[in-house]
Amino acid sequence: MRPRIGLMQTDSAPRTEPITRPTLADVAARAGVSASTASLAFSGSGPVSDATKARVLAAASELGYAGPDPRGRSLRRGRSGIVGVVLEERVRAAFLDPVKIQTLDGITEGIAPLGAGLLLFTDTGEEGGNAVGIESAPVDAVVLIGCSPRLAHSVEALRRRGIPAVAIEGSAGEDILQISIDNRDATRRGAEYLRGLGHTEVALVTLPFDAARTRGPLTPELERGSTVDTASERLLGAREVFPHATGRVAATSSIEEGLEAGRALLADPATRPTAIIAQSDLLAAGVLQAADELGVAVPAELSVLGFDGIRVDGLQHDLTTLVQPSVAKGRAAGEAVVRLLAGEPPASVQFTSTLHIGDTTAPPAR
Amino acid sequence: MRPRIGLMQTDSAPRTEPITRPTLADVAARAGVSASTASLAFSGSGPVSDATKARVLAAASELGYAGPDPRGRSLRRGRSGIVGVVLEERVRAAFLDPVKIQTLDGITEGIAPLGAGLLLFTDTGEEGGNAVGIESAPVDAVVLIGCSPRLAHSVEALRRRGIPAVAIEGSAGEDILQISIDNRDATRRGAEYLRGLGHTEVALVTLPFDAARTRGPLTPELERGSTVDTASERLLGAREVFPHATGRVAATSSIEEGLEAGRALLADPATRPTAIIAQSDLLAAGVLQAADELGVAVPAELSVLGFDGIRVDGLQHDLTTLVQPSVAKGRAAGEAVVRLLAGEPPASVQFTSTLHIGDTTAPPAR
DNA sequence: GGCGCCACTCGAATCGATGCGGCCTAGAAT
DNA sequence: ATTCTAGGCCGCATCGATTCGAGTGGCGCC
């Protein structure tokens, strides 16, 4: 029996504008409706007459109200509309890798139906400080790209909090959904192709095996201490065909690193391999540059096999490589996130790579 | 609603775990302290005895509590610890541009003291749908990178909401802080250098002038309809020295686009320019490739000037270019964000580019 | 032994939005 | 004119964390 105030009693009195921004309640009061109604008018998820809605919108406009506060909304809804992406390195380094970019692009495609934003994190190892880590970020889900077991602690926090996670190319944990490719099998097929051509003296240029990104000769110690599945799997695939193959470890997937590794492997004509298996196209491109520098003819004197199937700008060769569906991988991860958030438990996905035969491989010269 | 259990009634009984996740209140109850104290124990922003803190942490661990919910925290604090970044194009396109990547990296450096995450947006134009636009995202501040006036509406919403914004290379609005470089003046200096060498027949390869990214000949219509400051300014700088210079417009800053433009400009030996001013290094690299293809010697028969000062992998030349501090630009933007959030009003910053003289420029052959 | 101080802890209010159940009223049908 | 119906609208409680002022215990000092 609350006395309804006279209709005509407008709050014409110029009340002092408070320092605080207007809230939905203010708008509702101004429009003469309840906060609930005003909320419905904005979210459109309930029956509100057009007249009322117009009145609310008008009040909002007069008050300079810019729409519901995303913070309050996400608290109430339990969803923030943000998906976290964890990269293993710092932003600059991560985005120099075309595969990562393509994957990221695929993710945006995959989560498009969510209309969610992408929040970038880097697995810098140092979780301390005031930094907003994965552990304490308002994300609805997380995609881990090539992440090391170092994240186990954070992943555990995600699990506790009930935040779904999807891992691309990395063993983040037992119960984490995996999106991967046939690293091992694909490399084996590539290696078999080289063997079929007649190669026996094969060297490797691998991706880094640990977070320290040690560069140098490929040693059993490094292999054993590997925390990077991608590198290990591709190595194992090559070893299935060339059990004693060895080579160099690059610090990162880049042309420069490939160049350096290529110089080391090709420097001595006496020990020079007839073929090099690089674990990424960028590394392969670097090896090709090294061969060019040293006057080693490709493919006559040296065959080079890559991995990824990216376009390397400025490369003169048509690289023989294992083409992997980077974008599709990202998209699958995005779609998996969507399903997880919808409550449907999706299955892990394994993509396959295809061998593209270009002009950087041929039978050995000897 | 939730029946609070008696004080001494230890919950040793394996009570059925509720479907809901534990909250700070649960932890506090378990630890036998008030919610306030538990909050202080986690945030560390108040005097809590070590014993109490340990008890709270133990209780949290037992309950599987993963720390304060970021949503509730950000609601109360009014800060989310997230900085939004608006890119003008889709993710894939944006990250193919080394300058953008460097800028982004600079931003992360700049906002490091905030410990904030980076939330990516793309200025796709379509704000509708359920998408989390800039207008309704839990961000503390926003950095606009090379954004078009199309964003005016969103920028207005930001202003209303009181969210600080910084613009890099783009006129987002009147009261938006600008971080820019001397696009016009730098290009003029580069052009003057070419004129000093004796060039008079100069062609341009420009960045796109509008969101449509029209590719083709540089027409007065396109110039007039420009919504991209960077392209316009660099064009004007060139025109100050070569008033009648014309050329081609690229659809994006990439080697491929530069290659295409280069082919068009160099195809006919009769009308071939003696120098080409490219508005980015990637475009310049493409032009160099086109020259190589067509057997045009650089710099003997053709001088090429770039802009950006990035390292282009696989480029044989030492490009003459205007080196801009991309990373510093991003860092300045990040630092500006920090200051804005701290309440200190910082000033707009204008960086200057320096002319790096490489081996792609020489006096004309004629 | 008493007084006062200090460090710590507690309770309540608050932030902004939203779901819920029930009440109201306008319009239609008889 | 009266009753029925259904679409709209309302108030309240709640989400989870934080802050502020009040309170309380213990302790030192006179």
Side-chain angles (χ1 to χ4, degrees), chain B residues 32-34 36-37 47-49 52 75-76:
Chain B
V33 300
S34 77
S36 343
T37 304
V48 178
S49 70
T52 305
L75 172 62
R76 190 63 181 88

Side-chain angles (χ1 to χ4, degrees), chain A residues 35-314:
Chain A
S36 341
T37 304
S39 170
L40 294 181
F42 274 104
S43 68
S45 61
V48 178
S49 69
D50 288 343
T52 305
K53 180 182 289 187
R55 204 145 33 94
V56 171
L57 260 41
S61 167
E62 291 167 24
L63 259 45
Y65 179 74
D69 187 312
R71 287 178 272 265
R73 180 203 293 270
S74 82
L75 171 62
R76 191 65 181 94
R77 289 221 173 127
R79 287 276 173 89
S80 64
I82 296 178
V83 174
V85 176
V86 183
L87 301 162
E88 61 190 322
E89 35 209 343
R90 69 178 305 178
V91 176
R92 174 161 26 183
F95 290 139
L96 287 179
D97 185 347
V99 177
K100 290 235 171 60
I101 296 175
Q102 291 187 1
T103 304
L104 205 64
D105 200 55
I107 294 175
T108 63
E109 276 183 37
I111 65 167
L114 249 46
L118 236 45
L119 185 55
L120 296 185
F121 294 101
T122 48
D123 169 18
T124 53
E126 19 162 336
E127 272 299 332
N130 49 359
V132 176
I134 334 163
E135 329 201 353
S136 65
V139 293
D140 295 339
V142 168
V143 179
L144 307 157
I145 302 185
C147 287
S148 59
R150 181 163 33 127
L151 279 178
H153 183 62
S154 302
V155 168
E156 169 62 15
L158 290 179
R159 201 186 55 68
R160 280 190 175 178
R161 195 164 260 146
I163 295 178
V166 177
I168 299 179
E169 292 284 326
S171 57
E174 324 240 319
D175 47 355
I176 302 285
L177 195 67
Q178 300 274 344
I179 309 286
S180 51
I181 58 163
D182 53 347
N183 281 309
R184 180 169 184 167
D185 194 55
T187 306
R188 183 184 51 72
R189 278 181 283 131
E192 280 171 354
Y193 171 68
L194 288 178
R195 185 176 56 187
L197 290 175
H199 290 277
T200 54
E201 303 305 311
V202 175
L204 312 173
V205 178
T206 79
L207 296 167
F209 281 100
D210 52 24
R213 307 186 157 276
T214 319
R215 172 193 312 154
L218 178 59
T219 65
E221 288 73 33
L222 275 174
E223 294 181 31
R224 266 198 303 277
S226 171
T227 62
V228 182
D229 283 3
T230 308
S232 303
E233 291 293 312
R234 293 184 189 175
L235 174 62
L236 289 176
R239 284 276 168 73
E240 286 183 26
V241 180
F242 301 108
H244 306 299
T246 184
R248 310 277 304 180
V249 181
T252 182
S253 176
S254 71
I255 296 183
E256 287 177 23
E257 285 289 327
L259 177 59
E260 188 144 340
R263 283 177 182 148
L265 291 174
L266 302 174
D268 184 357
T271 62
R272 189 175 290 167
T274 64
I276 291 181
I277 299 179
Q279 287 192 350
S280 83
D281 282 357
L282 289 181
L283 291 174
V287 169
L288 289 174
Q289 271 193 25
D292 189 46
E293 269 186 16
L294 298 170
V296 179
V298 174
E301 298 176 271
L302 177 74
S303 287
V304 177
L305 174 66
F307 203 116
D308 284 342
I310 60 165
R311 264 186 47 84
V312 180
D313 263 327

Side-chain angles (χ1 to χ4, degrees), chain B residues 289-312:
Chain B
Q289 270 192 26
D292 191 45
E293 268 185 16
L294 298 170
V296 179
V298 174
E301 299 176 87
L302 177 73
S303 287
V304 177
L305 174 66
F307 202 116
D308 284 342
I310 59 166
R311 261 187 48 84
V312 179

Side-chain angles (χ1 to χ4, degrees), chain A residues 338-352:
Chain A
V338 173
R339 281 199 217 92
L340 279 169
L341 287 177
E344 321 161 16
S348 290
V349 184
Q350 168 107 1
F351 286 95
T352 55

Side-chain angles (χ1 to χ4, degrees), chain B residues 243-316:
Chain B
H244 306 301
T246 183
R248 310 277 305 180
V249 182
T252 183
S253 177
S254 71
I255 295 184
E256 286 177 23
E257 286 288 327
L259 177 59
E260 188 145 340
R263 282 177 184 151
L265 291 173
L266 301 174
D268 184 357
T271 62
R272 191 176 286 167
T274 63
I276 291 182
I277 299 178
Q279 287 192 350
S280 83
D281 282 357
L282 287 182
L283 291 174
V287 170
L288 289 174
Q289 270 192 26
D292 191 45
E293 268 185 16
L294 298 170
V296 179
V298 174
E301 299 176 87
L302 177 73
S303 287
V304 177
L305 174 66
F307 202 116
D308 284 342
I310 59 166
R311 261 187 48 84
V312 179
D313 260 329
L315 194 62
Q316 303 299 331

Side-chain angles (χ1 to χ4, degrees), chain B residues 5 53 87 96 104 142 148 155 218 288 320 331 344 347 363:
Chain B
I5 313 234
K53 179 182 289 189
L87 301 161
L96 287 180
L104 206 63
V142 168
S148 61
V155 168
L218 177 59
L288 289 174
T320 296
R331 188 167 37 225
E344 321 160 17

